[in-house]
Amino acid sequence: MKLHYSLRRAAGFTLIEIMVVIAIMVALASVAGTSIYSHMGAGDEAKCRAQLEQLIQIGTKYSQDIAHTGILPTSGMEDDEDTETVNESDGWWLSIAPELDSVVYPRTKGGKMKVSNIFHCPADERASISAAESTFAADERTVSYVSWTDASDDPENPNSCIRTTAKQNLDNLPWLSDGNPVKGKSVTDVESFQTMVMPAAERHGGKVLVAYASGAVKAIEVDEEDPNAAALFKKFAPDLARKAEKESKGKKGKKRRKAARHAAE
């Protein structure tokens, strides 16, 4: 009887045993998938950081090559009339891309400039751009970084370029960050930050990479489930937040509130 029982056991697995094995395999596959996904996400973040560091170097070269030293371009700055086929006020990349050998100017006015793929974050899924493409047609959907400004160069233009020679703390002044560009606009306040920067938090697992005018690149956490735009803006750019708060309490702030009341009426 014992021999018969042993032979029966050796003939195959019970249903419970098979289910246990399947459960273990599913768990292992899940862990492996999560690990691979995390590794890919970390790779995208590392590449994005490296690209921002490259752009800082190009920005430094730009500020040294143009007539006025110490200037970082932003979207909305004045157009260079010598460039007939592009309008630099549309996007910050139109000013800085010519510092690279890979840039291709459009033949006609209104065409798209082709720029190096360092302007596109691999985790930005708004446009499909292969890593094998050395250049791509740049616009608000394909470029993955937005410019910031404090209007230090031209107080009358809220989107003017950043003057790094001004007396300010460049460690607290963002120049570029992950984001969704808007034609002719830079990040200047909480509203533009919420529209242009916060949607990019999904690219790196709730983190946004920021390149500061000082040359530092930081990763700042964004709580996608309960985002507080005002608090985050202060975290990204404490000096700009204080400046905006001061202006809101001054004469400009009173004028804006008065204009808003009239518009509501």
Side-chain angles (χ1 to χ4, degrees):
M1 178 68 74
K2 288 183 179 180
L3 178 61
H4 177 71
Y5 177 75
S6 298
L7 289 173
R8 189 175 63 182
R9 288 279 295 168
F13 296 101
T14 65
L15 180 61
I16 294 176
E17 288 171 336
I18 293 172
M19 291 177 66
V20 169
V21 171
I22 292 173
I24 292 172
M25 291 175 66
V26 169
L28 289 173
S30 177
V31 171
T34 302
S35 177
I36 291 171
Y37 179 80
S38 299
H39 179 71
M40 291 174 61
D44 287 345
E45 182 182 337
K47 186 172 182 180
C48 184
R49 179 184 288 272
Q51 290 178 177
L52 283 171
E53 289 172 349
Q54 283 183 271
L55 290 170
I56 288 173
Q57 293 176 10
I58 300 167
T60 302
K61 187 175 185 298
Y62 170 90
S63 68
Q64 293 171 348
D65 287 347
I66 61 175
H68 303 287
T69 59
I71 286 178
L72 294 173
T74 60
S75 298
M77 63 185 287
E78 290 186 16
D79 177 38
D80 181 357
E81 295 180 359
D82 292 335
T83 54
E84 298 179 357
T85 59
V86 294
N87 185 338
E88 282 84 357
S89 66
D90 288 346
W92 63 273
W93 56 91
L94 298 174
S95 298
I96 201 175
E99 298 294 335
L100 294 169
D101 294 334
S102 57
V103 65
V104 180
Y105 278 92
R107 295 182 178 179
T108 58
K109 192 172 184 178
K112 295 179 182 179
M113 180 186 284
K114 286 191 173 182
V115 301
S116 165
N117 55 18
I118 66 170
F119 290 81
H120 178 79
C121 171
D124 184 358
E125 297 180 348
R126 292 176 305 139
S128 178
I129 296 177
S130 169
E133 295 181 64
S134 58
T135 60
F136 64 88
D139 60 26
E140 294 79 10
R141 288 185 65 254
T142 57
V143 174
S144 305
Y145 307 111
V146 299
S147 61
W148 293 57
T149 183
D150 66 341
S152 60
D153 186 58
D154 181 6
E156 297 301 318
N157 178 11
N159 295 295
S160 68
C161 53
I162 293 174
R163 185 178 290 279
T164 58
T165 52
K167 294 180 180 178
Q168 55 189 327
N169 185 356
L170 300 181
D171 290 328
N172 290 337
L173 179 58
W175 171 43
L176 299 177
S177 72
D178 285 322
N180 300 343
V182 175
K183 187 176 181 178
K185 290 188 179 294
S186 293
V187 180
T188 57
D189 49 27
V190 176
E191 288 74 24
S192 53
F193 168 77
Q194 190 168 16
T195 302
M196 299 166 67
V197 178
M198 289 182 64
E202 63 185 16
R203 295 177 194 167
H204 304 302
K207 286 185 286 187
V208 171
L209 298 183
V210 190
Y212 287 82
S214 64
V217 177
K218 301 177 183 177
I220 296 180
E221 295 280 351
V222 174
D223 187 348
E224 296 179 78
E225 294 184 0
D226 185 25
N228 184 324
L232 279 169
F233 181 72
K234 192 172 183 178
K235 190 174 182 180
F236 276 73
D239 289 350
L240 291 186
R242 280 192 290 270
K243 182 179 178 181
E245 187 177 356
K246 185 177 180 181
E247 288 182 351
S248 68
K249 294 178 180 178
K251 292 181 179 180
K252 288 184 179 179
K254 290 180 181 178
K255 287 182 180 179
R256 282 196 293 268
R257 289 193 293 273
K258 187 176 181 180
R261 284 198 298 270
H262 283 305
E265 293 172 359

